[in-house]
């Protein structure tokens, strides 16, 4: 259990390091699935078609591969929405943006996240 949580936090930290500049680099390399997975695993909403087109333009490519982006995004969201990670995500202070609402355990995820976020806020106020 502890190893699973530690691994999940490590993955989220590593993927969280992907900046907009890195997304442009990935787009230039045609790695749209990696961009989608990065967005999903960080709990971000899916990018709109216009956002993807703008990213493609900035990267100097003709167009975004929306299908690859979406498949990567769904992989990332599946990882993010793991109920076993929810408390730790909340405890870290990250805001939950509702991406797990339609997941099978979406309500349970939100409850565990909220419990962690409340503990985060309580700890923050003790200093």
């Amino acid at each position: 259990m502890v190893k699973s949580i530690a691994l999940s936090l490590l993955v989220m930290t590593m993927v969280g390091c992907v900046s907009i500049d890195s997304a442009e680099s990935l787009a230039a390399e045609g790695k749209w699935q990696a961009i989608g997975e990065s967005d999903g695993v960080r709990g971000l909403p899916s990018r709109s078609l216009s956002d993807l087109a703008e990213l493609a333009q900035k990267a100097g490519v003709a167009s975004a591969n929306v299908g690859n982006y979406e498949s990567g995004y769904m992989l990332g969201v599946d990882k993010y929405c793991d109920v076993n990670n929810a408390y730790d995500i909340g405890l870290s202070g990250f805001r939950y943006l509702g991406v797990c609402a339609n997941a099978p355990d979406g309500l349970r995820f939100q409850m565990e996240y909220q419990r962690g976020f409340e503990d985060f806020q309580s700890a923050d106020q003790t200093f």
Side-chain angles (χ1 to χ4, degrees), residues 4 20 30 35-38 45 51 60 65 68 70 76 85 89 92-93 96 98-99 107 111-112 116 119 121 124:
S4 175
I20 291 173
I35 297 168
E37 189 168 353
S38 172
D51 288 342
N65 187 324
N68 283 357
E70 287 296 326
N85 300 328
I89 293 169
S92 69
Y96 170 60
V99 299
L107 182 58
M111 291 170 57
E112 286 299 310
D119 287 350
Q121 289 178 316
D124 190 42

Side-chain angles (χ1 to χ4, degrees), residues 36-96:
E37 189 168 353
S38 172
D39 288 351
V41 83
R42 291 186 293 155
L44 299 175
S46 179
R47 295 180 195 230
S48 67
L49 292 175
S50 62
D51 288 342
L52 291 172
E54 183 179 328
L55 180 58
Q57 182 181 22
K58 286 180 180 180
V61 296
S63 63
N65 187 324
V66 177
N68 283 357
Y69 172 83
E70 287 296 326
S71 67
Y73 181 77
M74 294 310 297
L75 288 171
V77 167
D78 285 346
K79 292 175 187 175
Y80 177 83
C81 294
D82 183 338
V83 173
N84 295 317
N85 300 328
Y87 176 82
D88 292 326
I89 293 169
L91 189 60
S92 69
F94 290 114
R95 294 282 179 190
Y96 170 60

